[in-house]
Amino acid sequence: IPEDTALTINGVVTRSSGKRTVWINGVTQNENDIAGSVSVTPNRRDPAKVTVHVSDTPVAKAKVGETVNRDTGEATDLLDGGRIGTKSTAAK
């Protein structure tokens, strides 16, 4: 996993065998990989949530699609507090 300041949780897959793969900044991390200073553990009850452990920083809780700041442990979504809206087009 790159030593970027921001860690984006791109996805989590849990196979029927129970083994998990997590994508961080587009790079896969299998549960048996040694990832240096970063470890991501998916939540077994809610697979869209993970716990991010980075050496010498606070433990962060994040959802798939969120970005964790390695320095603060803060997780933000891709919209950074914004919203997505759609305009309904009614049939006339």
Side-chain angles (χ1 to χ4, degrees):
I1 294 177
E3 292 294 322
D4 294 336
T5 301
L7 300 172
T8 300
I9 311 303
N10 302 111
V12 176
V13 172
T14 302
R15 293 179 288 291
S16 59
S17 65
K19 292 186 178 187
R20 298 178 302 271
T21 299
V22 178
W23 282 263
I24 304 169
N25 295 348
V27 178
T28 59
Q29 176 189 351
N30 296 308
E31 62 184 308
N32 295 328
D33 290 347
I34 298 173
S37 62
V38 178
S39 172
V40 176
T41 307
N43 183 320
R44 290 194 185 274
R45 285 183 251 155
D46 187 347
K49 294 182 180 179
V50 296
T51 302
V52 180
H53 303 270
V54 182
S55 64
D56 301 329
T57 62
V59 171
K61 303 273 186 193
K63 296 178 187 175
V64 172
E66 291 185 328
T67 298
V68 175
N69 182 316
R70 289 179 68 145
D71 297 329
T72 65
E74 180 182 7
T76 56
D77 63 23
L78 295 174
L79 297 177
D80 197 22
R83 296 170 44 185
I84 294 178
T86 59
K87 194 175 227 183
S88 175
T89 57
K92 293 184 181 182

